Amino acid sequence: MGPVGKHPRPRVAVVGAGIAGLAAAAVLSRSFSVTVFERSTCAGGKIRRQTAGDQSNDCGQTVFTMSRVFEDVFTADGANLHEY
């Protein structure tokens, strides 16, 4: 139980740490305590990087759709999408 007079932030779960799940978690974290669940060993979903030995391959999309949505998410969190 938290301190008296303090209300804990509501908790929410996001299933999947792909780009949509990570964006949803970023937005939700402004008002909620967020836990992200991912079945894979790494985040990123279709836009992850996979390494085998000394080889590294981007597994990502060849087309990044709805970039304006992600620009807004990054901007709201004080970052610039184009720096990543």
Side-chain angles (χ1 to χ4, degrees):
M1 191 77 131
V4 175
K6 294 266 186 180
H7 297 285
R9 292 176 12 149
R11 294 170 50 180
V12 65
V14 173
V15 178
I19 189 68
L22 293 174
V27 171
L28 289 167
S29 70
R30 298 176 196 146
S31 302
F32 299 91
S33 176
V34 178
T35 302
V36 178
F37 294 93
E38 172 57 48
R39 72 176 168 182
S40 181
T41 58
C42 62
K46 293 179 181 177
I47 61 167
R48 74 188 183 287
R49 177 170 291 183
Q50 193 164 2
T51 303
D54 63 348
Q55 298 294 316
S56 181
N57 295 306
D58 288 327
C59 300
Q61 308 270 117
T62 56
V63 177
F64 186 61
T65 58
M66 299 178 61
S67 62
R68 185 72 195 139
V69 172
F70 297 104
E71 289 170 352
D72 291 346
V73 170
F74 273 68
T75 299
D77 286 328
N80 181 341
L81 172 67
H82 302 287
E83 292 177 2
Y84 294 89

